[in-house]
């Protein structure tokens, strides 16, 4: 019992150090509700975690590094991330659902870098925690309402959450902002919500939002969309509720046109993605 307490205290100290001092967040990215697998990266950006740091982050959240089998199970139900991360036993790889020329070498499956001999290499992390479902998710239903973590209470500092929507082919996604209150900043550099017209946060950037004014509705160009919520280390706000519903593809004359809230304050327009 004493050994367990000492180990827990040591893990807590390490997780706190990596979670805050070095900028590593402690909320989930790409949390797959059905499989319990999610992707984590450092607050300072991609590929900043050693194996020990990645392991401690997952354990601090109540989970552990995902096994290859757990990552593949998540991939089979729609978990797609174009970023290599640590798995259990020092393995590195990433899950690909949709083949693309710029990610996954044009193939689907787990892109497997194998077991790394150098555990000081810096990658992201793939965690497994079937109970941590609040921050992010992969959603395939015809409608859903997203809420910021802790809503209706204020969200916390130092968070990164991804919501990935994947509906049937031939459908589009209609986002409606029901409530919105995110730390106000002229350039939306502190806390912000980003929308992507794609599977990930690499392609199809639509816009970045903050403040307390409701953005206009957004309609995807295809059957996938990603929402990314990031908060810094100070100042929080009330959070948000965002609903999506599916809709049939419009006539060909409107294909490829993305409806956004251009002209609104605190909105950075981006490149629209075509599915």
């Amino acid at each position: 019992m004493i050994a367990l307490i000492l180990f827990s205290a040591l893990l807590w100290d390490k997780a706190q150090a990596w979670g805050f001092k070095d900028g590593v967040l402690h909320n989930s990215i790409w949390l797959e509700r059905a499989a319990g697998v999610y992707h984590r990266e450092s607050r300072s950006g991609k590929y900043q975690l050693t194996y020990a740091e990645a392991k401690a982050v997952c354990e601090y959240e109540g989970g552990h590094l995902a096994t290859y089998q757990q990552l593949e199970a998540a991939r089979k139900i729609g978990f797609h991330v174009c970023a290599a991360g640590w798995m259990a036993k020092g393995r590195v790889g990433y899950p690909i659902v949709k083949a693309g020329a710029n990610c996954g070498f044009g193939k689907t499956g787990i892109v497997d870098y194998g077991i790394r001999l150098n555990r000081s290499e810096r990658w992201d992390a793939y965690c497994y925690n079937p109970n941590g479902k609040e921050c992010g998710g992969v959603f395939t239903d015809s409608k859903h309402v997203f809420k910021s973590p802790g809503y209706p209470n204020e969200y916390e500092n130092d968070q990164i959450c991804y919501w990935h929507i994947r509906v049937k082919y031939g459908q589009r996604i209609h986002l409606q902002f029901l409530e919105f209150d995110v730390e106000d900043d002229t350039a939306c550099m502190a806390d912000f919500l980003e929308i992507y017209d794609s599977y990930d946060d690499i392609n199809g950037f639509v816009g970045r939002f903050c403040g307390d004014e409701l953005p206009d509705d957004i309609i995807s160009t295809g059957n996938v969309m990603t929402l990314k919520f990031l908060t810094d280390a100070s100042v929080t706000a009330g959070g948000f509720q965002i609903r999506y519903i599916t809709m049939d593809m419009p006539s060909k004359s409107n294909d490829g046109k993305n409806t956004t809230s251009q002209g609104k304050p605190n909105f950075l327009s981006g490149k629209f993605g075509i599915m």
Side-chain angles (χ1 to χ4, degrees), residues 7 34 40 88 93 96 116 122 134 145 151 227 235 243 275:
F7 175 77
R40 289 282 281 101
I96 295 298
R116 314 304 292 174
R122 295 187 179 274
E134 186 176 25
V145 175
Y151 190 89
L227 287 70
V235 184
R243 176 173 59 206
M275 295 296 110

Side-chain angles (χ1 to χ4, degrees), residues 49-55 64-68 84-93 111-126:
L49 300 174
T50 65
Y51 175 70
E53 291 170 343
K55 184 177 179 181
H64 55 74
L65 284 170
T67 65
Y68 180 95
W86 290 106
M87 293 178 274
K89 299 182 179 179
R91 201 167 188 167
V92 171
V111 179
D112 188 7
Y113 293 4
I115 295 176
R116 314 304 292 174
L117 297 179
N118 182 4
R119 301 296 174 88
S120 295
E121 292 178 356
R122 295 187 179 274
W123 304 98
D124 291 349
Y126 287 100

Side-chain angles (χ1 to χ4, degrees), residues 137-266:
V138 177
F139 299 87
T140 58
D141 296 335
S142 60
K143 59 183 178 180
H144 188 78
V145 175
F146 301 118
K147 298 179 181 180
S148 54
Y151 190 89
N153 298 320
E154 291 191 355
Y155 56 81
E156 296 181 358
N157 293 319
D158 293 327
Q159 300 199 54
I160 297 181
C161 310
Y162 276 60
W163 290 270
H164 174 68
I165 309 169
R166 178 175 58 86
V167 298
K168 295 178 180 179
Y169 288 109
Q171 292 183 326
R172 298 173 82 176
I173 299 159
H174 183 178
L175 284 185
Q176 300 172 304
F177 293 80
L178 306 178
E179 302 284 344
F180 194 80
D181 182 15
V182 173
E183 180 186 356
D184 201 359
D185 173 39
T186 302
C188 292
M189 296 297 292
D191 301 349
F192 58 81
L193 176 73
E194 287 182 339
I195 308 296
Y196 292 84
D197 195 9
S198 69
Y199 271 91
D200 50 39
D201 64 338
I202 299 174
N203 304 299
F205 176 67
V206 174
R208 177 181 289 186
F209 305 86
C210 65
D212 59 5
E213 184 172 349
L214 282 179
D216 289 341
D217 293 2
I218 297 176
I219 299 175
S220 68
T221 59
N223 68 314
V224 295
M225 184 173 277
T226 297
L227 287 70
K228 176 181 179 179
F229 180 51
L230 185 145
T231 70
D232 65 5
S234 64
V235 184
T236 61
F240 54 80
Q241 288 192 92
I242 302 172
R243 176 173 59 206
Y244 83 80
I245 58 174
T246 56
M247 54 185 293
D248 294 331
M249 286 286 192
S251 61
K252 290 185 178 180
S253 61
N254 292 327
D255 280 352
K257 296 182 180 180
N258 188 302
T259 302
T260 70
S261 53
Q262 295 188 49
K264 288 275 187 179
N266 294 343

